[in-house]
Amino acid sequence: MEIKENQSLRHLNTFGVEARTRYLAELNTLNELPDLDLAAFDSVLVLGGGSNVLFTHDYPGLVLVNRLQGIEIVEEDKESALVAAASGVVWQDLVNYALQHNLGGIENLSLIPGTVGAAPIQNIGAYGVELKETFEHLEAIELANGRQQLFKRADCRFGYRDSIFKHEARDRYLITRVYLRLHKKPVINTSYGAIEEVLQQQGITHPTIHDVSRAVISIRRSKLPDPAITGNAGSFFKNPVIDKSDFERLKNNFPQIPGYETGRAVKVPAAWLIEQCGWKGKRQGQVGVHSKQPLVLVNFGGGSGQDIAELARAIQQSVADKFAIALEPEPRII
């Protein structure tokens, strides 16, 4: 395995910001891993598609780019199939594989950027579905000693855009394979967002998983900028979850505030909060807030990671000042 020094990361993050890493290596097969003395580096950052990271400075250690490939059905019965995907597989390629084999469960997660290995770290979710609903287990290698480990669903401690890999297990493991239980007789979920509306416009009354996927892709493309054209990392902030009592107090002052009950709490759309603070479509130099989706921060070209981070902090401050709500970023800021 070739280890390169002083390499640019600009082409390896979807924000397209310039940052450099002291060392860079690409992992194509697990057989290459023993050749890499990970203990020799001050720090190791495993990078997939670079769609959930914001570099605000150079990285002092080793960036290990995950290129592991392969998708297969490892077991199946009349009801379901257990699909294993290598962690370097592009997420949409796994969605396409499931659709080609008429396996349901992740069609609502169509067009989410990034790789399979990043999906459980983030517990990716969209349009009423989260990864944890189909997740069975994953295989990982502990970077410090090369020991293999299996994480079952409970081990991952999945939360809203959250998992153990964002906390005590962060940067400790290389996720190698993810196993999902997908369904041959799927339950179609069109209840969230504009899916139902898009299907009705198309005259589809009994949608298949293929119809749902196409609808989701259509919606996402209409609202979200293509990172190949305009640098972005998708939704930059999580939707805040607040106590019902706090939500009721906010509703007294802001009668139009939307909210969705989740047990004893209420999830408030961050996009609405940001728009109410006047940020939608606002530009600061070479960075700004997307004109169609205020959750998305964009790099128009030439913006730095620090520029984007400063914009994010300004948005957080204005939302906190107006609504007393703390917005939490989704991407990892380095």
Side-chain angles (χ1 to χ4, degrees), residues 244-258:
K244 283 185 179 179
S245 57
D246 292 333
F247 180 73
E248 291 304 321
R249 281 194 292 271
L250 279 170
K251 205 160 182 64
N252 287 335
N253 294 325
F254 307 97
Q256 302 303 316
I257 188 171

Side-chain angles (χ1 to χ4, degrees), residues 98-102 107 188 207-215:
L99 293 170
Q100 289 161 9
H101 290 79
N102 291 308
E107 58 277 359
I188 303 297
T208 65
I209 56 174
H210 301 270
D211 295 324
V212 172
S213 176
R214 283 191 289 266

